Amino acid sequence: MRALVIGGLAAIPAYRWFLWLGDSLNYKSKALSITVKVVVNQLLFTPVFNCYFFGMQSLLSGGGLRDVSER
């Protein structure tokens, strides 16, 4: 149930993010486009999603706000 809630809340923002990445940062070189998209994703989306994921896991497991902030 936790995975369903966490995934459900993250699905639309993640989908929109990847649509934006697909439409943006396109260069003549396909390799450069992919590299830039991976770097931007790893620098911006991944840290935010990891904080969200582990924080929500803690919160939905019954942890308090202190536990969430530690995660």
Side-chain angles (χ1 to χ4, degrees):
M1 191 59 150
R2 278 187 296 223
L4 182 65
V5 170
I6 292 169
L9 291 174
I12 292 176
Y15 175 73
R16 301 284 297 172
W17 170 255
F18 288 111
L19 281 180
W20 179 82
L21 274 180
D23 293 338
S24 304
L25 308 172
N26 295 313
Y27 302 101
K28 289 182 182 179
S29 168
K30 194 169 195 169
L32 178 62
S33 295
I34 292 170
T35 302
V36 169
K37 289 174 187 180
V38 168
V39 168
V40 168
N41 186 58
Q42 292 298 308
L43 290 175
L44 299 177
F45 183 78
T46 302
V48 171
F49 181 78
N50 284 345
C51 289
Y52 160 76
F53 177 81
F54 289 112
M56 286 297 289
Q57 279 283 42
S58 179
L59 187 66
L60 295 174
S61 294
L65 292 179
R66 183 179 181 121
D67 294 331
V68 171
S69 68
E70 286 178 9
R71 287 267 178 169

